[in-house]
Amino acid sequence: METLWDHRYAQRTQRMASSAIRELLKLTDKPDIISFAGGLPAPDVFPVDDFTAACERVLHEQGAQALQYGTTEGYLPLREMIARHTGRYGINITPDNVLITSGSQQALDLIGKVFINRGDRILVEEPTYLGALQAWNAYGAEYVTVPMDEDGMMTEALESALRSGPKFIYVLPNFQNPTGVTLSFERRIKLIELADRYGVPIIEDDPYGQLRYEGEHIKSVVTLDNEFRENGEAGYRGNVIYLSTFSKTLAPGLRLAWVVAPPEVIRKLVQAKQGADLHTSTFTQMVAYEVAHGGFLDRHIWLIRRVYGERRNLMLEAMDEFFPSEVTWTRPQGGLFLWGMMPERLNSAEVLERAIEQNVAFVPGAPFYALGGGGNTMRINFSYASPEKMLIGIERLGKVLHQMVAEK
Ligand SMILES: Cc1ncc(COP(=O)(O)O)c(C=O)c1O
């Protein structure tokens, strides 16, 4: 329905239309639905007692500072901790390389604000993280896509995509949202070399890198880029902007994440952040630091890995048992999601409608495709539902899929 406000909105809102799938997913809020739709961490692993104690300590010992405005760059002890932590993975950065943001989602938005002119092309994986497309659509981004297989972005298709002159490459190397797929070491090297040759920066979005349940850690693109440049000094000055977050390792409600980038890029992002929110909550940063430092985060990540690893195994076993053979899916080595592929003739929005009637939900894959397509794909989360609910949910979804495969 048209309202008085319609002609007042800025042009950039034209691509903000709420999708049919979003409307469908609203129905998944009912309490009896078993949802594999969200990217939600399991609430039973939130360290509530540790946060309670940390809040008290911060207010008691540093209350005035915690309730005061802070610097845009972020709380220095937290930035130092992130620099130390990043250093363990083989890259020597300083706090000048680090900006604290209100979630990685804000970092994506600030990157859009700082880099994207209307009509600029952004090179993305196909499919890619929907939240990045939402952030960048508002800045008038256009997209060039590179297909993926079980080793991530197919770098043999990257060079021709780079010839179209993209502003930057957006890549999710570890347990990608939405597919769960990991970019192989060889392709990471190829990506860095090609990006360097064509002078195109890389945005590396890595919320899940620490949540690996099998296989060996592969160095991040930012670390490999630093090695490629043979930069022996402290401080990163290369071609990659790296994002990570506390959302999946501590709690998403904190809205706490960070960017690692060359100092001049951090300074530009700081200017953009000043116009957005001045700074991320001082209190939240201090409490998160209080909880995380001194080894807690390592222990906690170990626990999360165990819980989610078990849930992933359980889901894969249940899918083997209950899903029809016409449906295939990825077997992620970490993260929160796997990716289902149905026969072309099936449409996952229709499957979702039927699934909701049976009180089970997932996210249809099409919105993750920047240029359309993917109508027969689905993203399934394995971190949120308890093991008991997961089994019931996968059995229900399997029944729906069997019926729809038979009908169509
Ligand atoms: C790839 C990716 N980037 C960014 C985000 C946003 O994370 P945050 O909670 O830090 O805003 C998510 C959240 O699921 C994600 O999967």
Side-chain angles (χ1 to χ4, degrees), residues 17-88:
S18 131
S19 71
I21 286 170
R22 204 159 280 272
E23 295 304 310
L24 264 182
L25 286 172
K26 277 192 195 155
L27 302 174
T28 67
D29 261 354
K30 292 191 297 186
D32 38 354
I33 286 232
I34 297 177
S35 180
F36 304 125
L40 307 187
D44 33 321
V45 298
F46 290 153
V48 176
D49 293 342
D50 300 270
F51 270 101
T52 310
C55 283
E56 268 186 31
R57 273 202 306 279
V58 165
L59 286 173
H60 212 230
E61 293 165 17
Q62 304 168 81
Q65 186 187 352
L67 299 178
Q68 191 53 279
Y69 284 113
T71 60
T72 307
E73 287 81 352
Y75 180 51
L76 186 58
L78 185 65
R79 286 160 60 221
E80 286 169 342
M81 184 188 88
I82 289 166
R84 275 197 309 278
H85 196 266
T86 311
R88 287 200 281 175

Side-chain angles (χ1 to χ4, degrees), residues 103-105 108 129 170 172 177 205 207-208 245 247-248 252 255-257 337:
S104 283
Q105 194 59 40
L108 292 168
Y129 172 54
Y170 176 59
L172 298 90
N177 182 1
D205 193 357
Y208 310 106
T245 177
S247 284
K248 317 295 169 169
R255 311 308 303 126
L256 206 53
F337 307 106

Side-chain angles (χ1 to χ4, degrees), residues 5 7 24 62 67 73 80 85 88 92 103 178 185-186 225 238 258 295 297 307 316 366 387:
W5 291 94
H7 69 279
L24 264 182
Q62 304 168 81
L67 299 178
E73 287 81 352
E80 286 169 342
H85 196 266
R88 287 200 281 175
N92 205 350
F185 175 79
E186 292 71 23
D225 181 71
W258 67 94
L297 197 56
V307 173
L316 288 172

Side-chain angles (χ1 to χ4, degrees), residues 201-267:
I202 300 169
I203 314 290
E204 177 180 24
D205 193 357
D206 186 28
Y208 310 106
Q210 291 180 286
L211 305 184
R212 179 180 271 283
Y213 320 128
E214 72 175 68
E216 291 293 311
H217 172 75
I218 306 176
K219 282 185 184 173
S220 62
V221 175
V222 69
T223 303
L224 292 167
D225 181 71
N226 195 52
E227 288 175 7
F228 175 75
R229 278 157 221 291
E230 295 177 351
N231 172 25
E233 306 153 30
Y236 176 65
R237 296 196 172 70
N239 195 34
V240 180
I241 300 176
Y242 173 90
L243 318 182
S244 193
T245 177
F246 291 113
S247 284
K248 317 295 169 169
T249 52
L250 278 180
L254 295 171
R255 311 308 303 126
L256 206 53
W258 67 94
V259 180
V260 172
E264 63 269 33
V265 176
I266 295 290
R267 283 195 292 275

Side-chain angles (χ1 to χ4, degrees), residues 306-352:
R306 187 169 54 75
V307 173
Y308 292 1
E310 282 168 11
R311 289 187 187 186
R312 179 207 59 166
N313 295 345
L314 189 71
M315 182 170 271
L316 288 172
E317 280 166 27
M319 289 169 79
D320 281 336
E321 184 176 344
F322 295 116
F323 275 23
S325 58
E326 291 83 352
V327 178
T328 58
W329 52 91
T330 57
R331 293 181 175 262
Q333 296 194 321
L336 264 51
F337 307 106
L338 57 79
W339 187 243
M341 287 147 287
M342 302 181 294
E344 295 270 344
R345 62 184 193 278
L346 291 192
N347 178 292
S348 55
E350 285 170 26
V351 176
L352 176 62

